[in-house]
């Protein structure tokens, strides 16, 4: 016995409803991870979109089918956004980008003849589906390649879960690509399309994707929560920069890579001048504002491969892999200039002194910090608001 399209759509809607309720209550409300939020939104959109399709063949088809197309398209966009949220090196997708494909699909579906043509705007809908699911697969592929199997005890389980989700996204994306090509080549009414890419096969394929998401939800949401906790533990609560402990953990590996590639680098110590006077005259809240402003200037001046940390109090440390002395001076100037521009009449921000030491393969990271600190001390004692490089002449 073969289920008809309406029966499959009802089954799909019931599955989506069950999953969205379960994962909203159990997974999202427990950890509130971004991944869980995006997938719950995706499930809800697939549910409502599939429900709209149930009105096909009635007098409501004229608005129900375009609405269903737009909602399913937005659901695929949430799949993309959810996959992207697992990558800590990427910003969230802007809302306009998520809204673009559903808007185009909805408008093109309405501009056709949706009252009589169930496939009005179909070429735009199918294109939006395979493109967005393909982009989700790309995000997951980068995540798999960058995952470090030694990063934490559950790394292998995490990678297997991401691989399963990657395979499901790519498979469904390829399926929708095939549907799109067949739709353009022969149309939706020819046996080639109805046999291999018809509504029954599509509903089953999408159900497989939802089942894979269900399998991955708990593992990936839990890992995202753990990453957030690890990131919080590694950050200074005021400035958001790395704390001292996290800096040394990350800097050692970055230093070894730079020296192994013969790229060299520089280590910079920075200290806000007359910071105690700022606190005494304007209060500790003003001092906090100065520290936050300095951290913002650091983030604007360095590259993504550089490391910046609050070393303690008003002192900061910056590792610049591959940067020579001239580049270190450029970063110091950019930070000082940026801080001066942020100064206000009611809160004159302090100047900054910098000490720079060149990375030396013969020395440990602690010894490099000591050299940079020696250069910083010379900068403080010779007038402040300047950059001094370590040399043997200024060694204690």
């Amino acid at each position: 016995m073969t289920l008809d399209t309406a029966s499959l759509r009802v089954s799909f809607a019931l599955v989506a409803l069950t999953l969205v309720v379960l994962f909203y209550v159990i997974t999202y409300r427990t950890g509130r991870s971004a991944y869980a939020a995006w997938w719950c939104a995706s499930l809800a959109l697939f549910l409502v979109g599939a429900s709209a399709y149930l009105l096909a063949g009635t007098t409501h088809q004229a608005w129900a089918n375009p609405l269903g197309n737009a909602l399913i398209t937005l659901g695929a966009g949430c799949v993309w956004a959810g996959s992207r949220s697992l990558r800590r090196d990427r910003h969230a997708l802007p809302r306009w980008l998520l809204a673009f494909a559903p808007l185009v699909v909805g408008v093109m579906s309405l501009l056709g003849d949706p009252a009589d043509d169930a496939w009005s705007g179909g070429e735009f809908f199918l294109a939006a589906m395979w493109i967005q699911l393909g982009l989700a697969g790309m995000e997951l592929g980068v995540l798999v390649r960058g995952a470090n199997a030694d990063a934490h005890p559950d790394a292998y389980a995490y990678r297997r879960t991401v691989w399963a989700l990657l395979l499901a996204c790519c498979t469904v994306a390829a399926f929708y690509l095939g549907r799109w090509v067949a739709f353009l080549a022969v149309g939706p009414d020819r046996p080639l399309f109805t046999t291999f890419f018809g509504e029954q096969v599509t509903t089953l394929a999408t159900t497989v994707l939802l089942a894979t998401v269900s399998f991955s939800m708990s593992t990936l949401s839990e890992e995202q929560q753990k990453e957030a906790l690890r990131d919080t533990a590694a950050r200074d609560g005021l400035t958001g920069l790395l704390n001292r402990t996290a800096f040394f953990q990350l800097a050692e590996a970055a230093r070894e890579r730079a020296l192994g590639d013969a790229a060299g680098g520089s280590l910079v110590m920075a200290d806000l001048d007359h910071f105690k006077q700022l606190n005494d005259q304007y209060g500790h809240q003003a001092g906090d504002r100065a520290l936050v402003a300095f951290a913002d200037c650091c983030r604007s001046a360095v590259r993504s491969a550089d490391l910046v940390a609050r070393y303690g109090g008003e002192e900061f440390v910056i590792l610049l892999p591959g940067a020579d002395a001239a580049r270190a001076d450029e970063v110091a100037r950019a930070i000082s200039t940026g801080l001066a521009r942020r100064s206000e009449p009611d809160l004159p921000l302090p100047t900054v002194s910098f000490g720079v030491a060149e990375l030396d393969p013969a020395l440990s990271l602690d010894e490099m910090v000591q050299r940079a600190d020696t250069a910083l001390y010379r900068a403080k004692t010779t007038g402040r608001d300047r950059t001094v490089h370590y040399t043997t002449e200024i060694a204690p």
Side-chain angles (χ1 to χ4, degrees):
M1 179 178 177
T2 303
L3 290 174
D4 58 24
T5 301
S7 299
L8 282 172
R9 284 174 173 169
V10 170
S11 299
F12 175 82
L14 290 174
V15 170
L17 176 61
T18 303
L19 291 176
V20 73
V21 171
L22 287 175
F23 287 118
Y24 175 77
V25 173
I26 298 175
T27 305
Y28 174 68
R29 293 195 64 183
T30 300
R32 298 189 180 274
S33 71
Y35 172 77
W38 283 117
W39 280 112
C40 285
S42 178
L43 289 169
L45 289 164
F46 285 144
L47 165 63
V48 180
S51 300
Y53 288 149
L54 293 174
L55 297 174
T58 71
T59 56
H60 300 288
Q61 176 176 300
W63 62 265
N65 274 19
L67 177 63
N69 288 347
L71 292 176
I72 296 291
T73 301
L74 183 56
C78 290
V79 173
W80 177 21
S83 300
R84 188 184 180 92
S85 76
L86 294 170
R87 292 183 54 192
R88 299 174 64 238
D89 60 331
R90 299 296 294 273
H91 296 295
L93 289 176
R95 292 181 180 178
W96 69 265
L97 187 58
L98 279 177
F100 178 75
L103 181 62
V104 170
V105 168
V107 170
M108 298 311 296
S109 297
L110 287 170
L111 289 178
D113 186 17
D116 297 319
D117 181 9
W119 277 100
S120 179
E123 62 271 37
F124 296 95
F125 167 69
L126 296 175
M129 291 296 291
W130 76 257
I131 289 172
Q132 291 184 116
L133 291 172
L135 289 170
M138 289 178 58
E139 300 284 356
L140 294 166
V142 173
L143 183 65
V144 167
R145 289 195 299 272
N148 183 358
D150 299 323
H152 49 85
D154 299 326
Y156 286 107
Y158 175 70
R159 291 192 65 180
R160 283 197 302 268
T161 303
V162 177
W163 266 112
L165 190 55
L166 168 62
L167 181 60
C169 278
C170 290
T171 300
V172 179
F175 175 76
Y176 269 98
L177 174 59
R179 290 191 86 197
W180 181 65
V181 172
F183 182 92
L184 295 177
V186 301
D189 299 323
R190 300 293 292 273
L192 173 64
F193 188 90
T194 56
T195 301
F196 297 102
F197 301 107
E199 293 301 315
Q200 294 90 341
V201 180
T202 302
T203 303
L204 291 173
T206 311
T207 302
V208 169
L209 176 62
L210 297 190
T212 307
V213 171
S214 305
F215 166 76
S216 68
M217 182 74 77
S218 297
T219 300
L220 297 183
S221 294
E222 182 180 359
E223 179 56 30
Q224 196 170 56
Q225 294 169 43
K226 290 179 180 178
E227 285 290 341
L229 290 173
R230 284 193 287 266
D231 187 65
T232 300
R235 298 284 170 180
D236 172 62
L238 176 64
T239 63
L241 299 176
L242 293 171
N243 58 35
R244 183 170 178 170
T245 301
F247 173 81
F248 275 97
Q249 292 174 346
L250 297 173
E252 186 60 47
R255 169 182 170 276
E256 290 179 2
R257 284 195 301 271
L259 294 176
D261 296 338
S266 299
L267 192 142
V268 183
M269 295 292 292
D271 187 272
L272 274 63
D273 299 327
H274 303 298
F275 187 73
K276 184 177 183 302
Q277 295 180 17
L278 177 71
N279 276 333
D280 292 342
Q281 184 173 354
Y282 295 94
H284 288 281
Q285 287 187 344
D288 289 347
R289 287 171 59 188
L291 293 172
V292 171
F294 177 83
D296 290 340
C297 292
C298 286
R299 278 187 282 264
S300 299
V302 301
R303 307 160 300 179
S304 59
D306 301 331
L307 299 175
V308 187
R310 186 179 181 187
Y311 196 71
E314 69 274 20
E315 196 169 18
F316 297 80
V317 60
I318 307 170
L319 179 66
L320 305 171
D324 58 14
R327 168 61 183 162
D329 286 339
E330 181 182 330
V331 170
R333 281 196 300 272
I335 294 172
S336 292
T337 301
L339 197 61
R341 288 173 179 169
R342 290 169 178 257
S343 191
E344 301 174 3
D346 62 330
L347 179 61
L349 296 178
T351 57
V352 186
S353 299
F354 298 91
V356 181
E358 182 181 352
L359 294 187
D360 188 333
L363 300 176
S364 67
L365 184 61
D366 283 331
E367 291 170 321
M368 297 306 307
V369 170
Q370 290 175 9
R371 283 192 169 188
D373 197 50
T374 298
L376 174 62
Y377 179 76
R378 175 59 64 93
K380 301 286 281 188
T381 56
T382 55
R384 296 184 172 85
D385 189 19
R386 63 193 61 202
T387 301
V388 172
H389 290 255
Y390 178 88
T391 63
T392 54
E393 286 76 16
I394 67 172

